[in-house]
Amino acid sequence: MNVFGNVVKHFLVDNNLQQGDIAKKANITNANVSQLLNRSNISLDKMIMISEALDCELKIELIPKNQK
């Protein structure tokens, strides 16, 4: 599973939503949503599609792990 998939799954639980809600708004099947959230990688365009279906903004940051 990818980090994005984990974040989305937590968002769904916290907001009392289901993967089917993403599927309806993104006009894809429940199986497609499940595959996207469970695969080891996901493309940026698919992350944007899911974010928009959840009425969320997608924010990607590079944060240095260690500053010496």
Side-chain angles (χ1 to χ4, degrees):
M1 181 178 303
N2 59 61
V3 173
F4 181 76
N6 279 329
V7 170
V8 170
K9 288 180 180 185
H10 285 271
F11 182 87
L12 293 175
V13 169
D14 292 346
N15 291 281
N16 198 31
L17 297 170
Q18 298 180 351
Q19 290 182 8
D21 296 314
I22 296 171
K24 288 177 191 172
K25 290 183 180 180
N27 199 29
I28 60 176
T29 66
N30 289 345
N32 287 114
V33 174
S34 180
Q35 288 172 349
L36 289 171
L37 297 181
N38 288 308
R39 62 190 309 169
S40 61
N41 58 24
I42 183 171
S43 65
L44 180 59
D45 64 323
K46 299 298 183 191
M47 288 191 287
I48 292 169
M49 176 189 64
I50 291 170
S51 298
E52 289 176 351
L54 292 171
D55 196 29
C56 292
E57 291 183 29
L58 179 63
K59 181 179 179 181
I60 299 173
E61 292 183 88
L62 282 177
I63 302 169
K65 292 181 180 180
N66 297 314
Q67 292 187 358
K68 294 182 179 181

